Amino acid sequence: ATASWLEHFSVSECRCFDERDRPLVCRNIAVLMRHVEAVPKDSDEAAALEAFDELVRAELPNAIAGSVGRHVLKYKHLVCVAAVTGLPDLMDKCAGLRHGMPFRHMVAELFFFLPTVVAFFPMVSVWLQIWSRRRLNLHGCVEFLYLLAILLFLVVPILLLGFLVLSNLRSWSLESDIGMAALAGMTPIAGLGAWLTFGWHPGARAGASTGPRPNISERGGGGEEAEATPPPEEKNEEDDDAKPEEAADDASVDCN
């Protein structure tokens, strides 16, 4: 939601704590844009504000994404949450080996557990985040109903579908080697889906600009209005050495 808002950023749509400060803020932005030579010196305030809007749209979305990430929780954090949630159940089932459970059953339970941890739970969490961010302007009962609809019509069906597919493959794997291979193949397939969700993003990489940068002077701004600071004068060591000699000559003349 933040990136989408920044891509359509406009100073005129921003809210001021005190609307009486808006002219001062806009005037300062215009002065800044002229000072860094993003616009010509004789540009009016409207042109300077438009250039500032374009600068924000081009630079800030990727800068923020590179700083805080595109998702609330990173992939490794979601995997840890899924692992600690399902690992106790897996360990209880593996304990059946000491009571005569076939080794094949334990392998089937492991291949059932892995796709859930590495893919299904993290991806569902991200999709829930994405759809929740789309309506941050909702409040009260409307917000509650929107989140409830996401859970009932998006999260629950996806989880049920994944559970049914894995359960059927697990039952098939207990009877057939082909079923075991199909169940084992779900882990790399699900991992590919997780990589597409977390690791691959079309467009510019994080931190890179997606639009033209303003023509900011390499001098760091200032342009014609900034006065160049003259370099400090270098001392002439020969002159300094000559002064005592001149003083000595003058003293000898006076003595004579």
Side-chain angles (χ1 to χ4, degrees), residues 94-105:
C94 291
L97 289 172
R98 302 179 58 182
H99 302 281
M101 184 182 75
F103 181 77
R104 187 186 189 93
H105 286 220

Side-chain angles (χ1 to χ4, degrees), residues 119-256:
F120 289 152
F121 180 82
M123 286 193 296
V124 169
S125 300
V126 168
W127 294 336
L128 181 60
Q129 295 173 24
I130 293 174
W131 282 94
S132 299
R133 289 198 300 256
R134 290 180 178 273
R135 292 295 181 267
L136 294 178
N137 58 321
L138 301 180
H139 301 282
C141 296
V142 178
E143 179 185 13
F144 173 77
L145 293 175
Y146 176 73
L147 295 177
L148 182 62
I150 293 176
L151 290 174
L152 294 178
F153 298 105
L154 178 66
V155 177
V156 173
I158 292 176
L159 290 178
L160 285 178
L161 178 62
F163 179 78
L164 289 175
V165 171
L166 289 176
S167 296
N168 290 331
L169 288 176
R170 179 176 56 182
S171 300
W172 186 24
S173 67
L174 299 178
E175 302 173 355
S176 170
D177 292 340
I178 298 178
M180 182 65 73
L183 181 61
M186 287 298 298
T187 300
I189 294 175
L192 176 61
W195 179 76
L196 293 175
T197 302
F198 288 90
W200 178 76
H201 301 286
R205 59 181 177 86
S209 174
T210 56
R213 295 178 60 90
N215 183 21
I216 298 177
S217 174
E218 295 180 356
R219 295 172 294 176
E224 299 174 357
E225 297 179 0
E227 296 181 357
T229 303
E233 297 182 357
E234 298 181 357
K235 286 187 175 182
N236 193 336
E237 297 180 356
E238 296 180 356
D239 294 343
D240 294 341
D241 296 338
K243 288 180 180 179
E245 298 177 358
E246 294 176 358
D249 294 341
D250 294 340
S252 61
V253 171
D254 293 339
C255 292
N256 294 331

